[in-house]
Amino acid sequence: MGTRTWRTPFQKWQNLKYEIPNQALVLNAPPHLRPDLLRLPFEPPALSTKENARILKKIDWHILPLVSILYLLSFLDRANIGNAKIAGMETDLNLVGLRYNTAAAVFFIPYCLAQVPSNIILKLFRPSRWLSAIMVVWGLIMTLMCLVKTYNELLVARFFLGLAEAGLFPGVTYYLTSWYPRAERARRIAMFISAAILAGAFSGLLAYAIERMEGIGGLHGWQWIFCLEGIVTVLAALACPFLMYDAPETASFLTESERRYLIELLKTDSQGLATHYNWQFVLQALKDYKIYLQFGIYIGCVDERTPAGFLTIALASLVIPSYGIALFTPTIITELGFSAANAQLLSVPPFAAGCAWTLLVGFYSDKHQLRGAYVIAGPLIALVGYSLLYTQTSPGPAYFGTVLSAMGVFSAVPVDLAWVSSNAGGDIKRAVAIAMMNGFGNLGGICAAFIFIDPPRFHVGLGTIMGLLSLTILLSLVAMWDCNRLNKQKEMKCHERGITDDLKDEFKDDGDDSPLFRYTL
């Protein structure tokens, strides 16, 4: 076969030209522009478990630190309003009544609605370009929030901050699934999520230090919190295009043999399902009632025929406690009798403990190849913590309850996300499903903003969260049973009709409805 040139309108726009001699891999071509790449006629070399682990660890070092920093900055910019509140913003902007709650909640309206379009754009363009672009936008918004003078201005700023930040979390979650097989995702998503937990710890430390800048440049301490953290985000965004690798096919840090092995490993792990972009797969996801069950289940309409429904309500049930911790931990600690400055510092240990426990749970979830059991374990721990907060009046036991709550809630989220992403078949459907489920689930952030309304004990908020955590446990048990039931049905179908892996091309466009697809328990 001679040398051939393959060009697309997007390549022409970039003024790029890729030569593909003898079906060789081309390092600089965006993978979505070469749908034939994953159909190269080769078999992956047989590698030992040790060698496979070496390649995955190599990917870890080149991929995870950057995306973790990006999400740390995202969550820091999203949740620092809680630190700004007790640093004087509440008084300066006259945030009486439910005004603070409204300002915290308005963020989530555009944040939820913009996630699906953002993930579609991410699939069409290079992740390094798209993610860095939205980071620049929200970093500028965060920086300019230091100029906010009124409550209405704060609402507008929070709205556009939510719109700009919408693409990062679902985008990076999908980005990670394009690098790792399903069995390896929980611990990687846990590492990624732990960045948000660290953001909670850092936000307290940073707020404590930045508050000391009160009066410098004519700005209050809470204004400096917005300004400095926004500037850091912009600087990180500008560096992102030069540090992020877009996909395994273009990863220059891998050798050619490692790259080929990884591509075939991911192809095998996807069970032969479609990986290229086509609008029909977007429509397939948008029309799939199983994905919309996330919203239906959230308002109480449960369809017991599919595991997707139970998984998404579990995710929604975890989002509210997560945001409750992020947005109101400094306030809760203040109500325990600590000063505002000490509350900033005392908000660090719950997040630090949650981070360490999340990494541990993600590791063992992958090791044991279980998702549901580890999702259940988190809410059980969190229920103990919230029970202490609900019943105890002395600061010591109540503060310990805060630590347990953070450990339980945060550790369940990445495992649940790994569970959901593993049970959506096909690249495009998975990308849209992640965005839809995270978008609908994050509507819980609106709820979280309005349930902590009765200080100092916050019985309404704590009681709501304990109910949702109990619901997570119940529905996770049902989901494990239902996934197992559906897998048995598919195994029986394959046995009766003689369907084997040799016929996988016939079902490549069927997504998780393929009889060869197996749900993760």
Side-chain angles (χ1 to χ4, degrees):
M1 179 183 296
T3 300
R4 61 186 176 89
T5 301
W6 186 57
R7 293 168 62 83
T8 70
F10 180 62
Q11 287 172 290
K12 294 177 181 178
W13 175 74
Q14 289 186 305
N15 196 27
L16 296 175
K17 182 177 180 180
Y18 302 109
E19 301 295 331
I20 306 182
N22 300 321
Q23 293 185 321
L25 296 172
V26 182
L27 297 184
N28 294 321
H32 60 277
L33 300 178
R34 294 177 286 118
D36 60 314
L37 187 59
L38 294 182
R39 297 195 291 273
L40 294 179
F42 72 90
E43 294 295 330
L47 296 181
S48 65
T49 302
K50 184 176 180 180
E51 185 67 9
N52 180 76
R54 183 192 66 80
I55 294 175
L56 292 176
K57 185 173 292 185
K58 190 175 183 180
I59 296 172
D60 291 343
W61 280 108
H62 286 84
I63 300 300
L64 291 177
L66 178 60
V67 297
S68 297
I69 290 173
L70 299 186
Y71 190 52
L72 184 150
L73 295 173
S74 170
F75 204 85
L76 193 66
D77 291 343
R78 181 188 323 171
N80 60 13
I81 188 173
N83 300 106
K85 176 192 175 186
I86 65 174
M89 183 184 70
E90 183 177 30
T91 301
D92 293 337
L93 299 187
N94 192 31
L95 300 183
V96 297
L98 294 177
R99 283 189 168 189
Y100 170 75
N101 307 70
T102 303
V106 72
F107 171 95
F108 295 99
I109 299 173
Y111 182 80
C112 298
L113 297 177
Q115 292 198 18
V116 171
S118 179
N119 256 22
I120 294 175
I121 294 173
L122 179 72
K123 184 65 179 179
L124 293 172
F125 296 95
R126 298 171 63 178
S128 60
R129 300 298 186 263
W130 176 245
L131 295 179
S132 63
I134 62 176
M135 281 190 69
V136 168
V137 174
W138 99 58
L140 289 174
I141 294 172
M142 175 54 58
T143 303
L144 294 175
M145 280 180 66
C146 72
L147 303 179
V148 165
K149 301 295 184 182
T150 67
Y151 167 66
N152 289 334
E153 291 175 358
L154 179 64
L155 290 181
V156 173
R158 288 283 295 177
F159 179 89
F160 285 102
L161 183 67
L163 181 64
E165 280 198 41
L168 187 82
F169 183 82
V172 173
T173 302
Y174 172 71
Y175 172 74
L176 290 178
T177 66
S178 69
W179 286 90
Y180 297 100
R182 295 193 296 171
E184 300 288 341
R185 289 176 189 169
R187 74 183 77 177
R188 273 75 187 192
I189 296 178
M191 294 178 189
F192 164 53
I193 294 291
S194 68
I197 306 172
L198 281 177
F202 277 123
S203 65
L205 291 172
L206 288 174
Y208 180 80
I210 296 174
E211 271 189 81
R212 300 300 180 269
M213 298 179 66
E214 175 73 31
I216 297 178
L219 298 178
H220 294 293
W222 64 267
Q223 291 174 303
W224 278 112
I225 291 175
F226 293 147
C227 180
L228 295 183
E229 293 179 4
I231 290 174
V232 171
T233 296
V234 173
L235 293 176
L238 295 176
C240 184
F242 305 99
L243 301 176
M244 177 175 278
Y245 299 93
D246 289 310
E249 295 85 354
T250 61
S252 59
F253 66 87
L254 295 174
T255 65
E256 183 171 340
S257 60
E258 290 171 341
R259 192 179 305 111
R260 285 179 168 238
Y261 171 79
L262 180 60
I263 291 170
E264 189 64 19
L265 175 66
L266 294 171
K267 177 183 177 182
T268 302
D269 183 67
S270 70
Q271 298 172 311
L273 298 177
T275 59
H276 64 282
Y277 174 81
N278 192 302
W279 182 247
Q280 76 177 65
F281 300 128
V282 178
L283 294 178
Q284 188 180 84
L286 293 175
K287 294 179 180 179
D288 190 346
Y289 77 95
K290 296 189 295 295
I291 297 175
Y292 281 102
L293 277 176
Q294 172 186 302
F295 183 71
I297 291 171
Y298 190 70
I299 60 175
C301 300
V302 180
D303 188 329
E304 63 184 12
R305 292 174 292 173
T306 172
F310 300 114
L311 293 176
T312 52
I313 186 60
L315 178 59
S317 299
L318 291 170
V319 165
I320 295 175
S322 297
Y323 280 120
I325 292 172
L327 295 172
F328 290 95
T329 291
T331 302
I332 292 172
I333 295 174
T334 300
E335 294 295 340
L336 291 177
F338 298 98
S339 67
N342 287 333
Q344 302 279 28
L345 294 177
L346 288 172
S347 66
V348 175
F351 289 100
C355 176
W357 187 251
T358 295
L359 293 173
L360 189 66
V361 169
F363 174 81
Y364 279 102
S365 175
D366 276 351
K367 182 179 180 179
H368 297 146
Q369 288 301 288
L370 285 174
R371 302 295 185 240
Y374 284 93
V375 171
I376 292 170
L380 285 174
I381 295 173
L383 278 172
V384 175
Y386 281 115
S387 296
L388 287 173
L389 275 171
Y390 193 94
T391 59
Q392 298 299 312
T393 57
S394 57
Y399 181 73
F400 181 64
T402 304
V403 176
L404 288 179
S405 301
M407 291 173 60
V409 170
F410 285 133
S411 64
V413 172
V415 179
D416 200 24
L417 285 170
W419 200 6
V420 170
S421 68
S422 295
N423 286 345
D427 273 15
I428 300 300
K429 185 173 182 179
R430 184 171 69 252
V432 177
I434 289 172
M436 291 175 67
M437 288 187 288
N438 189 62
F440 283 128
N442 272 279
L443 290 173
I446 299 176
C447 177
F450 287 99
I451 58 178
F452 289 92
I453 57 176
D454 54 338
R457 303 307 309 281
F458 297 108
H459 282 158
V460 173
L462 296 176
T464 301
I465 286 177
M466 287 191 286
L468 289 169
L469 290 172
S470 301
L471 183 62
T472 297
I473 294 170
L474 174 63
L475 294 182
S476 295
L477 288 170
V478 177
M480 293 175 68
W481 168 81
D482 206 40
C483 287
N484 185 57
R485 177 182 65 85
L486 290 175
N487 284 343
K488 289 181 179 179
Q489 288 180 355
K490 291 188 177 189
E491 289 169 5
M492 184 179 298
K493 181 178 180 179
C494 289
H495 177 73
E496 292 176 348
R497 301 186 183 182
I499 300 174
T500 64
D501 285 342
D502 295 334
L503 302 175
K504 62 185 178 182
D505 286 343
E506 296 183 14
F507 306 103
K508 66 180 182 179
D509 293 339
D510 290 351
D512 47 86
D513 289 332
S514 166
L516 296 172
F517 186 91
R518 296 295 181 268
Y519 293 108
T520 303
L521 301 185

